[in-house]
Amino acid sequence: MSVNITAAQALSMGADAVVFSERPLPQAPTGYYDWEVSSDPAAGRKGHSLVSNLVSEVEAFKAKGPIKPDPKIVAAFADTVEHPNAVDDRKGAFADGLGLLARIDPYSDLAKKLNNSVIDTLYNTIPHPPAAFLGPQFSFRQADGGSNNIEVPDIGRAGMPYARSVQGKAGLPRSSLPDAGLIFDTILKRKGSASGSADRHVQQINHSGGMSSLIFAFASIVTHSLFRTDTNNIYINNASSYLDLSPVYGDSRPLY
């Protein structure tokens, strides 16, 4: 039986073997090292050598593909820096930035700082109402989703029109939109799936960013929990903005 390993894998295993041989035994009565029982995903790196961790980072970066410079992305970032208080979402700077961030080692200091900047940007670009009003009327969100926004109590209430934060330039007729089922199958259907005997030996290709297909399934559940267009009036949302996962635990009619 022959096993094919790359030079990088051989270097990684050799460096780990040296570290393992010199490491003292764990002192905990359970027989585990602290990093083995830590809830921090980055703690697992302590179980390997610096060389092994570096090799893993390089291999993970290569698997995600090279970063190709795109003049449109550079222009979008430049526009965001020039107009920090009026970001044009149509230029795609935020989406491209997330794509670049996904390629960086998530445990590095640079990734942590960029993640914090993204969260700050998301939080600061959304207007925030007062934290609370006094009185029992505003103490809790209502069952139909009302009073979640105490300045505009009807925002998010079931049976109210859809709200949007960006004005649309032009409306699209429903006949011009593609079939939702076709989009779902085109994006999510695995190419070369085990539907027949000829396809059963096709190697599974994992997502370059480590994403699971369950993420899209969860997104579908969230979408159906927040959006249920009225069949008689396409501008009305019969679901509340309260994410109760009713498609999973049982759907109920809105209280309005």
Side-chain angles (χ1 to χ4, degrees):
M1 178 179 177
S2 61
V3 179
N4 296 325
I5 61 175
T6 64
Q9 291 173 331
L11 177 63
S12 176
M13 290 187 292
D16 280 349
V18 174
V19 172
F20 295 160
S21 63
E22 298 177 350
R23 175 182 295 159
L25 295 175
Q27 301 297 322
T30 58
Y32 291 100
Y33 294 98
D34 291 342
W35 58 268
E36 290 182 292
V37 296
S38 174
S39 59
D40 184 3
R45 297 190 170 198
K46 298 181 180 179
H48 300 274
S49 65
L50 294 177
V51 174
S52 180
N53 291 332
L54 179 60
V55 170
S56 298
E57 292 177 15
V58 173
E59 292 294 333
F61 185 80
K62 289 172 55 180
K64 295 176 181 179
I67 299 177
K68 300 179 180 180
D70 189 339
K72 294 182 179 179
I73 297 178
V74 176
F77 288 159
D79 182 74
T80 302
V81 174
E82 184 178 357
H83 307 95
N85 297 323
V87 179
D88 188 351
D89 291 335
R90 295 181 177 86
K91 294 186 177 181
F94 191 77
D96 293 330
L98 291 179
L100 295 174
L101 184 59
R103 298 173 181 270
I104 303 176
D105 179 14
Y107 306 117
S108 65
D109 292 336
L110 175 61
K112 293 178 181 178
K113 291 180 180 179
L114 291 177
N115 271 312
N116 291 337
S117 298
V118 169
I119 294 175
D120 288 342
T121 301
L122 286 174
Y123 183 84
N124 293 329
T125 52
I126 300 176
H128 301 282
F133 285 158
L134 297 179
Q137 180 182 358
F138 303 101
S139 298
F140 303 98
R141 175 180 50 238
Q142 298 177 12
D144 63 354
S147 297
N148 186 44
N149 185 321
I150 56 181
E151 289 187 333
V152 188
D154 285 336
I155 290 290
R157 188 191 300 275
M160 294 299 297
Y162 283 103
R164 60 186 307 169
S165 56
V166 179
Q167 184 64 38
K169 286 188 174 181
L172 293 176
R174 300 182 68 179
S175 59
S176 68
L177 300 177
D179 178 68
L182 176 62
I183 295 178
F184 186 90
D185 292 337
T186 303
I187 296 177
L188 298 182
K189 184 178 180 180
R190 176 180 295 174
K191 306 301 186 296
S193 60
S195 58
S197 58
D199 296 330
R200 292 180 180 175
H201 301 290
V202 176
Q203 183 180 4
Q204 176 177 332
I205 301 176
N206 295 327
H207 192 277
S208 59
M211 296 177 62
S212 168
S213 58
L214 291 178
I215 293 179
F216 300 98
F218 177 74
S220 299
I221 294 175
V222 172
T223 300
H224 286 86
S225 298
L226 299 179
F227 305 99
R228 188 166 68 252
T229 304
D230 192 300
T231 56
N232 297 320
N233 188 341
I234 63 172
Y235 305 109
I236 299 298
N237 183 15
N238 284 337
S240 73
S241 60
Y242 176 58
L243 182 58
D244 58 358
L245 298 180
S246 56
V248 178
Y249 300 106
D251 201 358
S252 61
R253 293 187 176 275
L255 302 175
Y256 65 90

